[in-house]
Amino acid sequence: SIEKTMRAPANFFDPVRMLNSYPGVVTANDQANSIAVKGYSPNGVLWRLQGLDIVNPNHTANAGTLSDKPTASGGGVNILSAQLLDKTDFYSGNLPARYGNALAGVMDMTLRPGATDKMQYTAQASLIGIDLAAEGPLNKKSKSSFLANYRYSTVGLLSQLGIDFGDEVINFQDLSFHLNVPDKQAGNLSVFGFAGLSENKFNAKPESEWEEEKDRYTIDYKGTSYAVGFVNQFKPGWLSLSVGGSVSGQQQDRTSQGATVPYPNVYSENYTSDRQLVSTFIKGVHKFTNKALLEAGLTANYLDNSMDVSTVTPLYIDSFYPNVNGTVSGILWQPYLNWTQYIGKFNLNAGVRYVNFGYNSTSSWEPRLSLSRNVKRNSFTLSYGTTSQWQQVQTYITAGNSQLPFTKSNQYTFEWRRKVSTDLSIVSSAYYHQLSNVPIQEGLSNYSLINQWEDFPQSNLEGTGKGRNYGIEAFVEKWFYGNVYFIISGSLYESQYQNDANEYVDSRFNGKFTSSFLAGKEWKKTNKTFGVHARVLYTGGLRQAPVDEFASALTGTTLYNLSQGYIVNLPNYFRTDVRVSWRKNKPGYTRTISIDIQNLTNYQNVAYQYYDTYLQAVTTKYQLGIIPVVAYRIDF
């Protein structure tokens, strides 16, 4: 909810950054909100807005990646500020039948309607920029409303305070809106949209100031993201019907060019990506009795993605750094049915989803089934479901990969929930996910696209690989009653894939465990509120393949020995975040002063290891250190 996101420290109004307070969710890198869920790649997360699939709705999609290439899911910050959102539903495995084309989970965001009685405004200024919002009635009689938000951000002020962002200039801005128009005859119409611009730039330093490889490169990244759509919900007689459509897109350009003096031929790269997604759906729900419900729907997504990437190194080896360009276009059809039936004290959910991708005529049948029972304050659920996902664009356009099937995951879960009191609950579960149709390459015994994030694949892959994710997780949550709340969570898990020897070995995202503690308290006195909130994260380190020092020195850029698998276990991750806020209510307005501090102890968490061609040694890259953000906010 917006309340959780606004209170939790160092979230920067981004609902995704709230999720690492729950078990099994790991932030792939501090610089971005990309999340690895239950050991899956961040690419396994599907983004939805108002029930429609959309492209990656995040700024600076290249933030925090090992190669600085953009990702398909995640970025520096969500384009949609939390103050626009009604609620965000997050599913991690065992998806309801209405969701598809996702392995790890779904971020399903819903925009709230604007105020219907009078105009309201919000203005915020902080060390990372400004935020302006307005909302109010379009027609008081019909209760129609609008909501709009503009945001401009730069880390320039933080950099001047000594915060290390790698000497990069980072800027982004976005505009979002939502129109909500209820009508007794035509139903409830929602019209929404967003547009975002982001960039980061690094200029090569003079040779006398070089201290590391990056210093001799000029790197320029620019990204544009947008979406516009509508959803109409109405009830013609016995059927509740919803229809919607949206167009979303993301364009990204990145260039990297090394200084040519005194080096005649150094690493350079040009990256261009253009993603367009037209998403439509129709859904009908009929309640036969108080104990039986049928939901049927169809999602049709038209994908048109193009990519052009060229790479030059002193010794160019195509098998390491392929030059690729091409287009992937086609319709992804996803009809589904779901039946809900109460049988005595049991609740049965049975569904099926069919997926077909016109690009290469790949299809999949996906059954979903769950059975639950409530016993006093307890609820027990046993569920099974198959879900699948298409491959990344760079995979399809690499030679010999266009006919790869969907990667599938058969997911089994047992869950126990207990409501201890009105404001306290316990949730625990055990799960086992079996993956199949994973792209692999014969001859590279430890190579599997289970480990793909932003990187480019090998050619001539075969969709015959296997993997498995399994574990146990639990959390205790106390909601914000009595001005106190907390979430205590933890998980133990394994994420593995099968090599040519039929052995299961660690995947890139196998951190083994997660633990988190989030708590806050507010003191209220007449028209004043003082709050203190803290979060501690301690998770297992992710993994990477060992650096091939000889090949890296020869080619002039970092190359990893993928044939050995992800045998380098990075150190465990530790971070403490704090938020202190003071709010004062006055007739007609409310003002809030806050300070968020990410990584309070300035703990050095390892991001990855790479071969620095200037230092001529394997070097460790660290994640962000302490980041204080002071903000002043006024609502009126």
Side-chain angles (χ1 to χ4, degrees):
S1 65
I2 183 175
E3 289 80 10
K4 283 185 180 180
T5 305
M6 299 289 272
R7 286 192 175 100
N11 275 344
F12 311 122
F13 302 101
D14 185 345
V16 190
R17 294 179 184 268
M18 177 70 197
L19 294 178
N20 55 13
S21 298
Y22 291 94
V25 180
V26 177
T27 302
N29 190 290
D30 281 345
Q31 295 185 36
N33 60 16
S34 302
I35 52 174
V37 183
K38 288 182 166 65
Y40 284 95
S41 163
N43 292 339
V45 176
L46 171 73
W47 290 89
R48 274 194 173 185
L49 179 61
Q50 300 293 85
L52 290 152
D53 295 358
I54 58 173
V55 300
N56 181 17
N58 290 286
H59 290 295
T60 55
N62 65 327
T65 61
L66 187 145
S67 67
D68 201 39
K69 290 188 178 74
T71 64
S73 179
V77 67
N78 198 324
I79 291 175
L80 291 163
S81 175
Q83 58 190 23
L84 272 78
L85 298 175
D86 185 2
K87 65 173 182 176
T88 298
D89 290 329
F90 175 63
Y91 296 88
S92 61
N94 289 96
L95 304 178
R98 63 182 177 275
Y99 296 107
N101 195 30
L103 294 177
V106 177
M107 285 291 298
D108 191 354
M109 301 179 291
T110 304
L111 298 172
R112 66 180 179 86
T116 58
D117 54 348
K118 63 179 181 179
M119 291 295 301
Q120 298 181 19
Y121 305 93
T122 298
Q124 177 173 284
S126 73
L127 291 179
I128 57 174
I130 61 171
D131 214 317
L132 304 172
E135 60 182 290
L138 293 172
N139 186 310
K140 290 185 178 181
K141 185 176 180 181
S142 66
K143 298 295 184 180
S144 60
S145 63
F146 82 94
L147 172 64
N149 188 89
Y150 171 76
R151 179 171 54 178
Y152 175 81
S153 183
T154 177
V155 300
L157 290 175
L158 286 173
S159 297
Q160 292 179 21
L161 291 175
I163 307 303
D164 183 13
F165 290 98
D167 294 328
E168 292 188 15
V169 177
I170 304 173
N171 298 307
F172 67 82
Q173 58 181 315
D174 52 62
L175 176 66
S176 310
F177 73 90
H178 181 216
L179 308 178
N180 187 66
V181 184
D183 186 274
K184 292 182 179 180
Q185 301 298 323
N188 194 94
L189 175 65
S190 168
V191 180
F192 62 91
F194 66 77
L197 302 173
S198 60
E199 63 179 356
N200 53 55
K201 187 176 180 67
F202 179 83
N203 291 316
K205 298 180 180 180
E207 184 181 358
S208 60
E209 298 179 15
W210 290 357
E211 296 180 352
E212 59 180 352
E213 175 183 324
K214 181 181 177 181
D215 292 339
R216 66 190 194 204
Y217 288 90
T218 295
I219 305 170
D220 192 4
Y221 167 85
K222 292 182 180 179
T224 303
S225 300
Y226 70 89
V228 61
F230 78 95
V231 174
N232 197 22
Q233 299 174 314
F234 52 99
K235 191 172 184 179
W238 54 271
L239 183 68
S240 296
L241 194 64
S242 300
V243 296
S246 68
V247 179
S248 60
Q250 185 178 58
Q251 293 80 42
Q252 300 176 92
D253 294 282
R254 180 187 179 275
T255 60
S256 174
Q257 177 61 56
T260 57
V261 178
Y263 301 93
N265 186 15
V266 296
Y267 172 89
S268 65
E269 182 181 62
N270 291 286
Y271 178 104
T272 300
S273 172
D274 189 351
R275 302 177 63 197
Q276 309 290 332
L277 180 64
V278 179
S279 181
T280 62
F281 83 89
I282 181 169
K283 178 181 72 174
V285 179
H286 177 58
K287 190 174 184 179
F288 289 91
T289 67
N290 289 333
K291 294 185 177 182
L293 184 78
L294 177 66
E295 179 179 334
L298 169 67
T299 298
N301 292 342
Y302 174 70
L303 172 78
D304 186 16
N305 282 9
S306 62
M307 185 175 287
D308 188 350
V309 179
S310 60
T311 304
V312 176
T313 67
L315 177 61
Y316 179 74
I317 302 176
D318 185 73
S319 61
F320 287 129
Y321 275 88
N323 288 342
V324 296
N325 69 82
T327 300
V328 176
S329 61
I331 299 178
L332 185 72
W333 298 97
Q334 300 180 86
Y336 73 93
L337 288 171
N338 191 82
W339 178 264
T340 301
Q341 178 74 54
Y342 289 91
I343 307 171
K345 296 182 179 180
F346 291 91
N347 179 20
L348 174 68
N349 267 283
V352 63
R353 189 178 188 92
Y354 175 72
V355 186
N356 180 275
F357 190 22
Y359 168 71
N360 60 3
S361 300
T362 302
S363 60
S364 173
W365 285 97
E366 302 177 359
R368 314 279 174 88
L369 182 67
S370 71
L371 183 66
S372 61
R373 182 180 178 182
N374 294 324
V375 181
K376 295 183 179 180
R377 292 177 176 267
N378 302 285
S379 123
F380 302 91
T381 302
L382 185 65
S383 56
Y384 161 77
T386 298
T387 185
S388 62
Q389 188 178 39
W390 57 23
Q391 307 301 331
Q392 298 298 302
V393 175
Q394 62 263 40
T395 300
Y396 284 128
I397 65 176
T398 300
N401 295 341
S402 62
Q403 298 303 309
L404 286 172
F406 297 123
T407 296
K408 285 189 175 183
S409 178
N410 289 291
Q411 304 180 347
Y412 306 83
T413 303
F414 175 74
E415 182 183 80
W416 166 61
R417 290 175 176 264
R418 177 173 176 82
K419 190 173 183 179
V420 180
S421 62
T422 56
D423 63 342
L424 183 66
S425 67
I426 303 172
V427 181
S428 65
S429 65
Y431 64 91
Y432 182 88
H433 296 180
Q434 181 68 50
L435 287 87
S436 59
N437 294 355
V438 179
I440 59 173
Q441 186 180 53
E442 295 293 338
L444 280 176
S445 61
N446 283 296
Y447 182 82
S448 171
L449 277 200
I450 275 181
N451 304 300
Q452 187 183 37
W453 187 16
E454 85 288 359
D455 41 318
F456 280 63
Q458 302 290 328
S459 58
N460 301 311
L461 300 179
E462 300 177 1
T464 57
K466 295 181 180 180
R468 65 185 184 186
N469 294 355
Y470 61 92
I472 56 173
E473 53 189 35
F475 70 92
V476 180
E477 180 170 8
K478 181 188 182 303
W479 288 278
F480 189 75
Y481 292 102
N483 300 323
V484 176
Y485 70 94
F486 63 79
I487 300 174
I488 305 171
S489 74
S491 71
L492 298 173
Y493 68 95
E494 293 286 343
S495 173
Q496 302 171 330
Y497 64 97
Q498 195 175 66
N499 60 19
D500 278 355
N502 293 326
E503 300 171 330
Y504 280 100
V505 293
D506 292 319
S507 80
R508 178 179 180 180
F509 304 100
N510 191 10
K512 304 288 188 177
F513 74 93
T514 69
S515 60
S516 169
F517 175 69
L518 168 66
K521 178 175 176 56
E522 292 185 354
W523 293 265
K524 295 183 178 181
K525 184 177 181 181
T526 58
N527 62 338
K528 301 175 184 178
T529 302
F530 178 74
V532 177
H533 316 267
R535 173 170 57 187
V536 179
L537 302 172
Y538 184 58
T539 62
L542 302 183
R543 312 181 73 87
Q544 71 168 62
V547 176
D548 190 327
E549 293 189 54
F550 176 78
S552 298
L554 199 63
T555 58
T557 188
T558 304
L559 295 176
Y560 295 89
N561 189 345
L562 299 177
S563 65
Q564 295 186 34
Y566 291 81
I567 60 174
V568 178
N569 192 184
L570 301 178
N572 293 341
Y573 177 96
F574 174 79
R575 198 180 88 197
T576 301
D577 304 328
V578 172
R579 173 180 172 84
V580 178
S581 62
W582 180 82
R583 184 173 69 250
K584 188 172 183 179
N585 299 320
K586 287 281 190 176
Y589 71 93
T590 300
R591 64 173 185 246
T592 305
I593 299 174
S594 63
I595 179 169
D596 285 80
I597 303 178
Q598 178 176 296
N599 197 0
L600 177 68
T601 62
N602 202 29
Y603 192 87
Q604 280 197 313
N605 290 299
V606 174
Y608 52 82
Q609 296 174 349
Y610 73 102
Y611 183 81
D612 192 297
T613 56
Y614 175 71
L615 300 175
Q616 297 183 352
V618 175
T619 306
T620 298
K621 185 71 173 179
Y622 292 95
Q623 301 198 47
L624 295 177
I626 185 171
I627 301 179
V629 177
V630 179
Y632 177 80
R633 176 187 177 96
I634 181 168
D635 299 274
F636 58 99

